Amino acid sequence: MLSLRKRLRWRRPWGLGVPGVAALLACAAACALAERAPACRAAGLSPYFGTKSRYEDVARPAPGPAPELGSCVPLQLVAVVRHGTRYPTAKQVGRLRSLHGLLLRAGPPGPGLASALARWPLAYEDWMDGQLVDKGNQDMRQLATRLATRFPTLLGRAGPASVRFVTSSKPRCVDSASAFAQGLWEQLHPERPAPDPADMEWGPPRVNDKLMRFFDHCEKFLVEVEKNDSALYHVEAFKNGPEMQKIIKKVAAILQVPASDLNADLIQVAFFSCSFDLAIRDIQSPWCDVFDTEDAKVLEYLNDLKQYWKRGHGYAINSRSSCTLFNDIFRHLDEAMEQRQKSQPISSPAIFHFGHAETLLPLLSLMGYFKDKEPLTAYNYREQTGRQFRSGHIVPYASNLIFVLYHCERAETPAGQYQVQLLLNERPLPFVHSPDTVTAYQDLKDHYRDILQSCRSDQRSRLVCELAQHATGNYPS
């Protein structure tokens, strides 16, 4: 097993690395030669779009089947997947409309970028409100194809009826699950047109918001973070700090409007306008020309601050709110191992959960990933330029965390018969307790024993509380 671990030792995928730098250089060269090369002009900003990042810009999945794990064969795959590329939310569309109105009220602009921005049509409407776009469907179908190729014994013709789909109730997640199922169907039945999800052998996805939107069902999180105006103090302080104020003055000069008419929220949505047009329409927005790389780094940090204090390591309850999902994942893995020990067929060899960035970030935080030595604050932007917590490189559109349980027939010890591997965005992820990318399942459970036990205690306490409330007629809101 030691040689196997050396072969599978993780390579950090979160930075651009040599391939990313080479791609950017090639893009720049192409842009210099072509009068219109939209994707290239936005490429320099794309690593900083945060949770609005395209999967292909920050994740580079290894093609083809998974590497051989000696005598080990996969027993089960449990995945948590963020929805694919989506439209802006209605709130973001409202801010885009306000920004466009500001340009129009400024009067006829002179020649240059301000004029181009005033003429640039507003392509998004309220009814779109975060819905999955065609690119998002493609994200999911392609992910299904790659995973079916990588794990043919779990997602091949042997037992597709055993694949299970669980989803958030949000339409973008339901549609992502359906698109993934369609991609899997096309891989399994290339000669047949895909039917409606309800008519596929595995049936339609099952909606479970308590599992996939646990943050809406955790009273402590709602009170202490979601509905607490002071919880995002560092976000608001950074909006009014020198880094953001410098960008506001710069953008005001470009737009030919008073700086007092702009604020950090409008600046951020202008930056996101570049990312939306690139991700959704694959075109260059003139908004991309408003910002340079240094601006992009500041705006990425603003987005990361929000994710850190609302979904990440900022408050303990952020990660604790994911206890229900964390326990559910290990329940599936335990069940598969027990069934194999009894020589029974695995009842659920593949389970896919479709949720949000807000589903994945708390879960990864609970597991101890991407925790910097110092917290992200409004006042240490410069010190955090090399931070681990970069939300766009962790949870872009279509991001995924996959647990793969293996049975190893020739293991040296009984405990070594069951091994587990984690994949983040289809790349091996080293464990918090080990630099390896494959570990004994029992070792993984031992590492998280306290969390698993305390999470179960939390759930039992919550259940007792709910029963008491029902008994007294006081129902939870």
Side-chain angles (χ1 to χ4, degrees), residues 167-170 207-215 217:
T167 179
S168 152
S169 63
K170 291 292 183 179
V207 173
N208 188 338
D209 273 345
K210 286 190 176 180
L211 203 61
M212 303 315 301
R213 291 183 62 83
F214 46 76
F215 41 86
H217 299 268

Side-chain angles (χ1 to χ4, degrees), residues 29-261:
C31 286
L33 295 173
E35 181 179 351
R36 182 173 178 80
C40 290
R41 288 200 296 271
L45 303 180
S46 63
Y48 309 103
F49 286 148
T51 53
K52 311 300 185 292
S53 297
R54 299 188 301 182
Y55 188 72
E56 59 269 27
D57 286 343
V58 296
R60 293 181 296 280
E68 292 286 334
L69 269 74
S71 62
C72 305
V73 295
L75 285 184
Q76 188 183 59
L77 182 156
V78 184
V80 183
V81 183
R82 185 192 177 193
H83 58 76
T85 306
R86 62 162 174 82
Y87 281 119
T89 62
K91 184 177 182 179
Q92 291 163 338
V93 171
R95 287 175 177 169
L96 285 170
R97 190 179 294 116
S98 296
L99 193 60
H100 193 246
L102 181 64
L103 282 168
L104 296 179
R105 289 194 300 273
L113 185 52
S115 177
L117 291 168
R119 295 193 307 270
W120 189 251
L122 185 62
Y124 309 107
E125 301 179 29
D126 291 339
W127 65 264
M128 297 175 176
D129 195 22
Q131 293 185 41
L132 200 70
V133 300
D134 288 343
K135 174 62 165 58
N137 278 283
Q138 183 183 24
D139 292 337
M140 294 294 104
R141 291 197 304 271
Q142 291 177 345
L143 177 62
T145 297
R146 290 194 300 271
L147 291 180
T149 301
R150 188 166 191 168
F151 299 103
T153 59
L154 296 178
L155 299 172
R157 295 177 181 270
S162 298
V163 178
R164 292 173 55 186
F165 299 101
V166 182
T167 179
S168 152
S169 63
K170 291 292 183 179
R172 56 184 171 270
C173 296
V174 176
D175 292 343
S176 289
S178 297
F180 185 97
Q182 182 182 22
L184 193 57
W185 173 279
E186 292 168 351
Q187 186 74 5
L188 295 169
H189 310 288
E191 71 287 350
R192 297 162 58 187
D196 290 333
D199 297 326
M200 294 180 183
E201 51 257 59
W202 41 73
R206 180 170 59 90
V207 173
N208 188 338
D209 273 345
K210 286 190 176 180
L211 203 61
M212 303 315 301
R213 291 183 62 83
F214 46 76
F215 41 86
D216 285 342
H217 299 268
C218 178
E219 187 66 26
K220 187 177 176 66
F221 169 77
L222 293 174
V223 170
E224 295 186 1
V225 181
E226 183 70 33
K227 299 177 181 179
N228 181 359
D229 291 339
S230 65
L232 298 184
Y233 163 80
H234 286 283
V235 178
E236 296 305 317
F238 191 74
K239 287 179 180 179
N240 295 298
E243 295 89 357
M244 279 303 304
Q245 292 305 307
K246 179 180 177 182
I247 296 176
I248 289 174
K249 291 177 182 178
K250 170 188 169 179
V251 174
I254 292 173
L255 302 186
Q256 302 174 25
V257 300
S260 58
D261 286 349

Side-chain angles (χ1 to χ4, degrees), residues 182-336:
Q182 182 182 22
L184 193 57
W185 173 279
E186 292 168 351
Q187 186 74 5
L188 295 169
H189 310 288
E191 71 287 350
R192 297 162 58 187
D196 290 333
D199 297 326
M200 294 180 183
E201 51 257 59
W202 41 73
R206 180 170 59 90
V207 173
N208 188 338
D209 273 345
K210 286 190 176 180
L211 203 61
M212 303 315 301
R213 291 183 62 83
F214 46 76
F215 41 86
D216 285 342
H217 299 268
C218 178
E219 187 66 26
K220 187 177 176 66
F221 169 77
L222 293 174
V223 170
E224 295 186 1
V225 181
E226 183 70 33
K227 299 177 181 179
N228 181 359
D229 291 339
S230 65
L232 298 184
Y233 163 80
H234 286 283
V235 178
E236 296 305 317
F238 191 74
K239 287 179 180 179
N240 295 298
E243 295 89 357
M244 279 303 304
Q245 292 305 307
K246 179 180 177 182
I247 296 176
I248 289 174
K249 291 177 182 178
K250 170 188 169 179
V251 174
I254 292 173
L255 302 186
Q256 302 174 25
V257 300
S260 58
D261 286 349
L262 296 175
N263 58 41
D265 291 334
L266 290 177
I267 296 296
Q268 191 171 43
V269 82
F271 183 60
F272 285 156
S273 186
C274 173
S275 72
F276 289 140
D277 284 345
L278 180 65
I280 297 170
R281 305 163 68 195
D282 195 27
I283 61 174
Q284 161 87 7
S285 164
W287 285 108
C288 301
D289 296 324
V290 172
F291 304 98
D292 59 27
T293 302
E294 289 306 310
D295 300 330
K297 290 177 180 179
V298 172
L299 289 162
E300 179 196 27
Y301 191 70
L302 175 59
N303 185 52
D304 286 349
L305 274 175
K306 179 181 177 181
Q307 299 301 329
Y308 181 86
W309 288 101
K310 197 171 184 179
R311 306 296 178 184
H313 295 287
Y315 300 105
I317 190 57
N318 296 344
S319 59
R320 298 290 298 182
S321 67
S322 70
C323 272
T324 303
L325 179 57
F326 189 65
N327 271 328
D328 190 71
I329 290 169
F330 277 88
R331 179 179 63 81
H332 287 305
L333 297 171
D334 283 344
E335 186 177 70

